[in-house]
Amino acid sequence: MVFSAFLAILAVIAVAEPRLYIRAAGGSPPGAADDPAQYVNQLIGTSNGGHVFAGATLPFGSVKVVADSNSGDNQGGFVSDGSSIRGISQLHDDGTGGGASLGNFKIMPMYCDVSSNGCVTDENSRLVSPGPLSTSPGYFSIGLGNITAEVTVTAHTALHRITFNAASSSPATLLFDLTNDLSHSFHNGSIQIAQPANGSANGTTPIVGGGNFSPSFGIGNYNVYFCLDAPSIDAASLYSGSSIVNDTSLSLNGGSVGALLQIDSTALTSQNNTFLTRIGVSFLSSDQACSYAASEIPDITSASFDTIKAAARARWNDILGTVQVDTTGVTHDRIEIFWSSLYRSYISPINVTGDNPLWESTEPYYDSFYCIWDSFRTVHPLFAITQPGPQAEMVRALIDVYRHLGFLPDCRMSLDQGETQGGSNADSLLADSYVKGIRAGIDWQTGYEAMVKDATVEPPNWGLEGRGGIASRKQLHYVPQNDTTDPMPVGAYQGRSASRTLEYSYNDFSIALVAQGLGHTADYNTYVNASGDWVNLWDPTVNNTGYSGFIQPRLADGSFVSVDPRHCSPVLGHTDCFLTPTGGEFYEASSWEYSFYVPQDMAKLVGLMGGADTFVKRLDAGWDNLFIDIGDEPAFLLAFLYNYGGAPSHTVDRVLTILAQNYSTAVGGLPGNDDSGAMGAFVVWSSLGIYPVAGQAVYLISTPLFPSITITNPDTGTTAHIKAVNFDNASTNKYVQHATLNGKPYTRNWISHDIFVKGGTLEMTLGPQPSSWGTQSGDLPPSVSTGYKVD
Ligand SMILES: *[C@@H]1O[C@H](CO)[C@@H](O)[C@H](O)[C@H]1NC(C)=O
Ligand SMILES: *[C@@H]1O[C@H](CO)[C@@H](O)[C@H](O)[C@H]1NC(C)=O
Ligand SMILES: *[C@@H]1O[C@H](CO)[C@@H](O)[C@H](O)[C@H]1NC(C)=O
Ligand SMILES: *[C@@H]1O[C@H](CO)[C@@H](O)[C@H](O)[C@H]1NC(C)=O
Ligand SMILES: *[C@@H]1O[C@H](CO)[C@@H](O)[C@H](O)[C@H]1NC(C)=O
Ligand SMILES: *[C@@H]1O[C@H](CO)[C@@H](O)[C@H](O)[C@H]1NC(C)=O
Ligand SMILES: *[C@@H]1O[C@H](CO)[C@@H](O)[C@H](O)[C@H]1NC(C)=O
Ligand SMILES: *[C@@H]1O[C@H](CO)[C@@H](O)[C@H](O)[C@H]1NC(C)=O
Ligand SMILES: *[C@@H]1O[C@H](CO)[C@@H](O)[C@H](O)[C@H]1NC(C)=O
Ligand SMILES: *[C@@H]1O[C@H](CO)[C@@H](O)[C@H](O)[C@H]1NC(C)=O
Ligand SMILES: *[C@@H]1O[C@H](CO)[C@@H](O)[C@H](O)[C@H]1NC(C)=O
Ligand SMILES: CC(=O)N[C@H]1CO[C@H](CO)[C@@H](O)[C@@H]1O
């Protein structure tokens, strides 16, 4: 989740070129869906704060089209709350907190007479109630009164098909709105009715232009350009405010400007009342937008629409199909939740390679890392096993951001810098790929340099990149509250000292793992050592709800500051801990919750908490009392942490409880912001029966929700199988009794990444009672203090 109580102080594209995905040859489990797109429900998470993008996009596609609701919850565009529709816009982000993102270049079909100035252009006056919806991967359709608006997409281009159903005395008209993005951030821009040329199709009226807008959770601004083509136009006019203007081009600094296209009634009749318009989008120029449009969608016809729609679905099926599940005996809801969650994992970030105006580079460029604080935990580890090729491109893009802007980002959107939330978690994102052997084209020396810079060089504004409190931490081995050595620039916030200390410690462990791999032994020791800093905030004297010892903020003089360990949880001050001046020392979660966040050395933490039994009881108490909040990312890992206490059966119970209580197929079926697929990916992992300790080649075992799962590495063609014997839909037989890995008995409650590189089979035999499987000290996942080793 990201949330900013102030409105942001002050661009995105994806290319998805065809790519061959090797499918499991002969290894597909029975019942696997050939067309998993059929199970995707794009409306899950479109109310109740999920902020899910429900519209048409390709995987990692730049153009993301959906109808924009006139709702306070419209971060992702469409909201299932009955709000009226402002128009259908071409760009969006998925599932974010922060402000409403993008929503540029809306179109609105209507019946009105342009020549008599009879069209209502004002955004608030032209609102229409939402009619019937229809969605499928790469496709979105909505009724708008007597009009049906459909859209399908390629990477940078939208193709809209609009059916004017009514016999109306007023002509059919299309409004194009240049200036009203979702947050009304337009600054300046231009629009021009051009002659049919410049890459536009035969006989169309192209309209080109662009605007300058503000990002939704960051600083700066961005330019984005469009190229609209529409055959069957009688006349095109520009409007300004509520008046038609007698110009074919306008440049403006603010105001409300767009175009009105009067549709040729004869053509409309001859085409069964359908009208097509194509809109290319680019962050570089309108010429580039026209060029994307002409090359990606050469024909602006109804037949072309059907072809593009089918191609988009096929592409989704390709990317979804790297995971295959046997659905025998699994409820339809679970199947739908699984594929919908996997689908959402691939919406962001966006591939804007070749469309980046910020710098010239031969490296890939991706945007909408919104935010890495969310996505490093579940999304990028998922890519590491299902989409290592794209993941390698994303890592290269992040390293290129470092090359050109000086630091790895923590959050980016709309080609702008977003705000940092906790630590410098790009370090852990990179390490996750490194320890999983992702190398393709990645300059790891420079990647490592970027990580070390995060740890050693404080940027002028660590509210936007890097880390704060570096000098103090070097001296004190924690980030103190009210760090006087480290004043924040105006508009940024000093707090979060406790949660940042925990995250920086873990980020340092990530640096250590990469140092080790690259043979930098001295650095390895330095950073493993620094990864132990969290313990300096452990205050053993604090008691709460029967448990003692909590992470607490600390001043530079060494004294602890007392914070109720429940503060920032759903039961106490839940909304007090966002990026605000009074956000406090824990970010978006309580001390109760953060006190479990030591993925590098859980063994030491279990000891501090009084041993495995107390640890397990305490983790249960945290969940049962709602001191841990499944509505926000820091909680994800905690559902699986029981494995470190030798209690994998508690992990099974907790994960199943969370899925049953907090996830459903309903429009409100997510417990919080989807955050660029972070929640979706959490559900995917929970369903696979393994969960990544992000940044390590370690997966904690829970219980699979399918009898058989096959994951094909698209690069190597190797397959990893997860099999459940005695599977009964995780209703009674849910606990692992014994397991084998590649046919040999396996008692550890975790596996390494090896199975995804070499291929292999993890087979779990399930039963109705917790067993001794995975409970012995030798079965526990690795920790620094017990000699960290992954093999
Ligand atoms: C990203 O976009 C570039 C440029 O279009 C393309 O070459 C590359 O294959 C794309 N990457 C993926 C994963 O689709
Ligand atoms: C549908 O069209 C008819 C005929 O033009 C009109 O009377 C009616 O109000 C329209 N309904 C809506 C919901 O726009
Ligand atoms: C289209 O191309 C012509 C000549 O090539 C150029 O003069 C004109 O500015 C272009 N129009 C747009 C809208 O790019
Ligand atoms: C908006 O104005 C700025 C500053 O003059 C300019 O650099 C930018 O290109 C303009 N953007 C558009 C889309 O016209
Ligand atoms: C519109 O502009 C054209 C060319 O500049 C001019 O001939 C015409 O009279 C104008 N029409 C109106 C209504 O202002
Ligand atoms: C119009 O609809 C009819 C009947 O569904 C169909 O046969 C015909 O091909 C359609 N024409 C166009 C131009 O789509
Ligand atoms: C599967 O589990 C769900 C939820 O626990 C339950 O409602 C359903 O009846 C089960 N189906 C089968 C076939 O066991
Ligand atoms: C931190 O600084 C703020 C602002 O000066 C002050 O109100 C607060 O009491 C200080 N907190 C501690 C624990 O010293
Ligand atoms: C880190 O190294 C310092 C000495 O350089 C030592 O005092 C400290 O105990 C070490 N910390 C850990 C966690 O190993
Ligand atoms: C916290 O509880 C422990 C026993 O669990 C007790 O020894 C200690 O005095 C308590 N501390 C406070 C501050 O109440
Ligand atoms: C998860 O479900 C539990 C049980 O219904 C509920 O108390 C809790 O508020 C839910 N959490 C979120 C974040 O929705
Ligand atoms: C009028 C016009 O632009 N005609 C063009 C239509 O497209 C064909 C093929 O691209 C061209 O050859 C025509 O010149």
Side-chain angles (χ1 to χ4, degrees), residues 234-321:
D234 271 345
S237 315
L238 300 183
Y239 69 83
S240 177
S242 58
S243 311
I244 302 295
V245 294
N246 187 16
D247 290 297
T248 54
S249 77
L250 281 175
S251 288
L252 57 150
N253 293 296
S256 180
V257 163
L260 289 162
L261 312 183
Q262 198 93 70
I263 297 160
D264 183 275
S265 60
T266 313
L268 200 58
T269 306
S270 73
Q271 293 162 29
N272 294 341
N273 295 325
T274 65
F275 160 78
L276 284 113
T277 184
R278 179 186 74 186
I279 305 177
V281 179
S282 165
F283 290 99
L284 277 178
S285 65
S286 55
D287 277 353
Q288 182 63 47
C290 291
S291 156
Y292 281 139
S295 63
E296 293 177 6
I297 306 182
D299 296 318
I300 310 176
T301 62
S302 203
S304 167
F305 186 97
D306 295 334
T307 305
I308 299 289
K309 180 185 171 191
R313 187 186 183 102
R315 201 164 142 63
W316 274 108
N317 275 333
D318 262 358
I319 196 166
L320 293 170

Side-chain angles (χ1 to χ4, degrees), residues 254-609:
S256 180
V257 163
L260 289 162
L261 312 183
Q262 198 93 70
I263 297 160
D264 183 275
S265 60
T266 313
L268 200 58
T269 306
S270 73
Q271 293 162 29
N272 294 341
N273 295 325
T274 65
F275 160 78
L276 284 113
T277 184
R278 179 186 74 186
I279 305 177
V281 179
S282 165
F283 290 99
L284 277 178
S285 65
S286 55
D287 277 353
Q288 182 63 47
C290 291
S291 156
Y292 281 139
S295 63
E296 293 177 6
I297 306 182
D299 296 318
I300 310 176
T301 62
S302 203
S304 167
F305 186 97
D306 295 334
T307 305
I308 299 289
K309 180 185 171 191
R313 187 186 183 102
R315 201 164 142 63
W316 274 108
N317 275 333
D318 262 358
I319 196 166
L320 293 170
T322 56
V323 179
Q324 306 231 322
V325 293
D326 176 358
T327 55
T328 311
V330 184
T331 54
H332 188 278
D333 270 13
R334 265 207 190 134
I335 298 168
E336 183 176 322
I337 288 172
F338 176 77
W339 289 114
S340 305
S341 301
L342 187 59
Y343 165 85
R344 293 202 311 279
S345 307
Y346 297 135
I347 294 177
S348 304
I350 58 167
N351 182 0
V352 255
T353 304
D355 198 30
N356 174 12
L358 301 176
W359 54 77
E360 301 258 337
S361 175
T362 54
E363 286 296 281
Y365 184 68
Y366 282 71
D367 206 282
S368 285
F369 290 97
Y370 195 174
C371 294
I372 288 173
W373 186 81
D374 303 294
S375 63
F376 89 95
R377 303 164 201 265
T378 53
V379 172
H380 292 282
L382 181 67
F383 297 166
I385 66 167
T386 65
Q387 297 296 317
Q391 173 64 15
E393 291 185 4
M394 292 167 200
V395 167
R396 288 168 63 186
L398 292 173
I399 294 172
D400 219 33
V401 171
Y402 160 74
R403 278 194 198 95
H404 290 92
L405 300 183
F407 282 90
L408 291 167
D410 188 54
C411 196
R412 286 187 73 77
M413 77 286 308
S414 322
L415 301 163
D416 285 315
Q417 274 188 306
E419 296 174 51
T420 55
Q421 299 192 69
S424 54
N425 288 304
D427 303 337
S428 297
L429 187 162
L430 261 56
D432 191 79
S433 285
Y434 184 83
V435 299
K436 291 171 184 174
I438 294 178
R439 299 287 181 271
I442 302 172
D443 172 1
W444 275 113
Q445 289 300 341
T446 304
Y448 181 67
E449 182 185 297
M451 296 165 78
V452 168
K453 188 169 179 189
D454 273 345
T456 55
V457 181
E458 187 154 326
N461 186 348
W462 58 265
L464 297 170
E465 59 196 0
R467 303 185 189 177
I470 288 179
S472 293
R473 185 171 161 225
K474 198 168 179 190
Q475 197 191 342
L476 302 167
H477 300 288
Y478 59 88
V479 178
Q481 179 172 342
N482 284 7
D483 185 1
T484 52
T485 68
D486 195 20
M488 281 292 285
V490 176
Y493 304 114
Q494 186 130 24
R496 302 168 268 152
S497 65
S499 50
R500 283 193 291 122
T501 297
L502 292 170
E503 294 196 20
Y504 295 159
S505 299
Y506 187 59
N507 299 149
D508 283 342
F509 184 67
S510 295
I511 299 176
L513 291 182
V514 179
Q516 185 179 42
L518 294 174
H520 303 314
T521 309
D523 280 11
Y524 171 74
N525 289 327
T526 302
Y527 286 103
V528 169
N529 182 308
S531 81
D533 279 359
W534 64 275
V535 81
N536 298 315
L537 293 190
W538 185 261
D539 184 347
T541 70
V542 176
N543 291 353
N544 193 274
T545 324
Y547 295 93
S548 54
F550 284 89
I551 294 290
Q552 293 281 282
R554 212 169 165 182
L555 297 177
D557 67 7
S559 57
F560 281 103
V561 181
S562 171
V563 173
D564 189 317
R566 298 165 300 175
H567 185 59
C568 312
S569 78
V571 299
L572 187 68
H574 193 195
T575 57
D576 290 353
C577 308
F578 294 116
L579 286 184
T580 65
T582 56
E585 305 310 306
F586 292 92
Y587 183 64
E588 294 198 9
S590 64
S591 164
W592 247 96
E593 185 171 326
Y594 272 112
S595 294
F596 285 101
Y597 189 64
V598 190
Q600 68 276 36
D601 201 355
M602 289 303 297
K604 182 163 186 169
L605 181 71
V606 169
L608 283 177
M609 286 188 171

